[in-house]
Amino acid sequence: MDTIDQEKLHKIFPQFEEPLLKEILSQSTIKHLDDSEEAMRTGQYIKSTILLLDGLLKVYREDDEGNEFLMYYLEPGNACAMSMMCTARDEKSQIMAKAVNSAEVLLIPSHLSEELLKKYNSWHSFVIASYRQRFEELLQTLDSIAFKGLDERLLFYLKRHVKVSGKEIRLSHQQIAYELNSSREVISRLLKKLEQTGAITLHRNYIEVHDLDILD
């Protein structure tokens, strides 16, 4: 969707009242992102708050060697809390964000974001809720790294993917290894063990998830 009307926007963000929707639409820009296209990159000044209208965005950190550390995913109806923070403080981004598949984002300019905070309680509540949700997800990720073994981290990782993209996980063993800071051989071995429990089935180009809760 290269354009969106007020009714469609309300379906994605039902908590926003009509005057707020009108202001957002009057001054914001819709941008289409192709598969794997960047929405934010490290070192970039962010001038707009990013709201996801369609598709899926992956938010992550990247080290000097190009290894990725997954932070969280954004689904339609979500806002990128990091873009909000960078926009409000006029700071450079410390994270990366890219489309997992083709996506549509709504870019709200920084001056408008500030004005909306003063005028609409629903926008203020949305911003606070966005910060809280991402903080809780980061705590879960931190817990999985600090207190769990690689097998438990892999299970947590797969459950997160199922939540946002369904039971067909189209990632290679190498991609999973990058995000879990492991090797492809180790990840393949752990996935094979999961398959033996009946929790998943490994296919050539994707992982089919049956029931990960049986392992809890």
Side-chain angles (χ1 to χ4, degrees):
M1 70 178 90
D2 292 327
T3 60
I4 186 170
D5 59 27
Q6 187 172 315
E7 183 179 352
K8 288 181 180 178
L9 189 61
H10 180 64
K11 288 180 180 178
I12 302 171
F13 299 97
Q15 66 272 53
F16 295 163
E17 58 266 59
E18 184 176 332
L20 172 56
L21 293 171
K22 286 182 177 179
E23 284 207 50
I24 290 175
L25 285 174
S26 68
Q27 300 187 55
S28 302
T29 304
I30 294 174
K31 182 178 180 180
H32 174 80
L33 299 173
D34 293 326
D35 185 7
S36 298
E37 184 176 349
E38 291 179 355
M40 295 175 61
R41 66 180 182 276
T42 303
Q44 175 188 13
Y45 278 103
I46 307 301
K47 301 298 184 181
S48 301
T49 293
I50 300 173
L51 273 62
L52 185 60
L53 301 175
D54 189 45
L56 189 66
L57 287 187
K58 170 185 172 181
V59 181
Y60 61 100
R61 290 267 288 172
E62 189 175 66
D63 67 15
D64 293 337
E65 298 177 354
N67 297 312
E68 298 178 0
F69 174 76
L70 175 66
M71 297 174 66
Y72 52 81
Y73 285 99
L74 291 180
E75 302 172 80
N78 290 169
C80 180
M82 294 299 181
S83 72
M84 289 178 170
M85 187 177 299
C86 291
T87 299
R89 298 181 176 182
D90 193 28
E91 294 179 344
K92 293 180 180 180
S93 171
Q94 299 299 313
I95 56 95
M96 306 280 286
K98 66 180 178 183
V100 176
N101 42 42
S102 61
E104 297 280 352
V105 296
L106 187 68
L107 304 177
I108 301 179
S110 56
H111 72 274
L112 179 59
S113 296
E114 291 298 311
E115 291 174 10
L116 298 180
L117 280 173
K118 300 172 185 176
K119 295 175 65 174
Y120 299 100
N121 288 333
S122 60
W123 178 255
H124 183 272
S125 298
F126 177 71
V127 170
I128 297 301
S130 296
Y131 283 134
R132 183 185 299 119
Q133 182 180 357
R134 302 310 158 204
F135 179 70
E136 289 173 352
E137 289 178 342
L138 288 175
L139 283 181
Q140 291 177 353
T141 301
L142 179 61
D143 286 347
S144 76
I145 295 170
F147 306 119
K148 296 180 180 180
L150 185 57
D151 55 344
E152 292 178 293
R153 288 171 55 201
L154 176 59
L155 188 61
F156 171 78
Y157 176 89
L158 294 175
K159 285 182 176 180
R160 176 187 273 183
H161 271 273
V162 168
K163 181 180 178 182
V164 300
S165 58
K167 293 194 172 185
E168 289 188 2
I169 301 176
R170 297 191 174 275
L171 293 172
S172 69
H173 295 189
Q174 185 63 68
Q175 286 174 295
I176 297 173
Y178 276 140
E179 294 194 353
L180 294 181
N181 244 350
S182 183
S183 68
R184 184 188 59 79
E185 292 77 14
V186 171
I187 294 300
S188 295
R189 186 169 67 249
L190 291 176
L191 287 171
K192 193 64 179 177
K193 287 183 179 179
L194 283 178
E195 186 176 40
Q196 291 169 356
T197 69
I200 65 173
T201 298
L202 299 176
H203 298 275
R204 181 176 178 82
N205 296 314
Y206 68 96
I207 300 167
E208 181 183 2
V209 176
H210 302 301
D211 186 3
L212 296 174
D213 291 331
I214 64 174
L215 302 173
D216 291 339

